Amino acid sequence: MTSKTQTKKVQPVDLYQFEGTEVRAEDDDHARLHGYFPLSPGTPNASDVTADDLTMVCMEIQPGDYLPTHTDSSEELLVVTAGTVAATVDGETVELSTGQCAVVPEMVPHGLETVGDEPARVLGIFPDDELTATFETTLEPFGTNVVTIGGDAD
């Protein structure tokens, strides 16, 4: 083992262990999710295991709740790790279940809604260390419809 490989250790990250944030639209009780930001550089409560050019958001959406429509400044890979969601991307809706994924192009409107009786868990993976999401409605606790994570947004 070289000294370079000794300093780079693979570390497991329990994705849903972090404190997280309750996110909700100010005018709709069902536009809500619990968001975790474990691999997002510069984000409070993020893991010390980060990548230079990667942001990952973990979402837990309860039955009957949804992630409001928004656009992201980067392409996004959505990966469902539990449950089922209806993913609406640019007006087209597809159902995604555990183990399935979909790619959302940069700046294309999209949203998620939990389908069924169990909470859905979804990873949003972005090929950048900073992400700006622009929602159609104001989100709390942020007090704005534009949310930036990672990069210099700490």
Side-chain angles (χ1 to χ4, degrees), residues 5 15 20 25 32 54 56 62 74 78 83 92 94-95 98-100 104 113 131 135 145 148 153-154:
T5 56
L15 298 175
R32 67 174 49 236
L54 174 74
M56 182 165 63
Q62 296 299 315
S74 294
L78 293 169
E92 183 179 335
V94 62
E95 204 167 277
T98 302
Q100 293 184 312
V104 179
E113 183 173 359
L131 169 70
F135 290 82
N145 70 317
T148 300
D154 41 342

Side-chain angles (χ1 to χ4, degrees), residues 5 9 22 35 61 63 68 75 80 105 109-110 121 135 140 143 146 148:
T5 56
K9 295 181 181 178
E22 290 295 328
I61 307 170
E75 180 177 65
V80 179
H110 61 285
R121 287 186 166 179
F135 290 82
E140 299 301 338
V146 179
T148 300

Side-chain angles (χ1 to χ4, degrees), residues 30-105:
H30 290 286
R32 67 174 49 236
L33 64 118
H34 197 86
Y36 306 84
F37 309 100
L39 297 179
S40 303
T43 303
N45 300 318
S47 167
D48 60 358
V49 179
T50 61
D52 291 337
D53 295 313
L54 174 74
T55 296
M56 182 165 63
V57 175
C58 301
M59 297 168 274
E60 186 173 69
I61 307 170
Q62 296 299 315
D65 290 343
Y66 65 95
L67 170 66
T69 300
H70 64 285
T71 59
D72 293 320
S73 59
S74 294
E75 180 177 65
E76 178 178 15
L77 174 64
L78 293 169
V79 181
V80 179
T81 62
T84 302
V85 295
T88 301
V89 179
D90 205 17
E92 183 179 335
T93 301
V94 62
E95 204 167 277
L96 301 172
S97 296
T98 302
Q100 293 184 312
C101 65
V103 175
V104 179

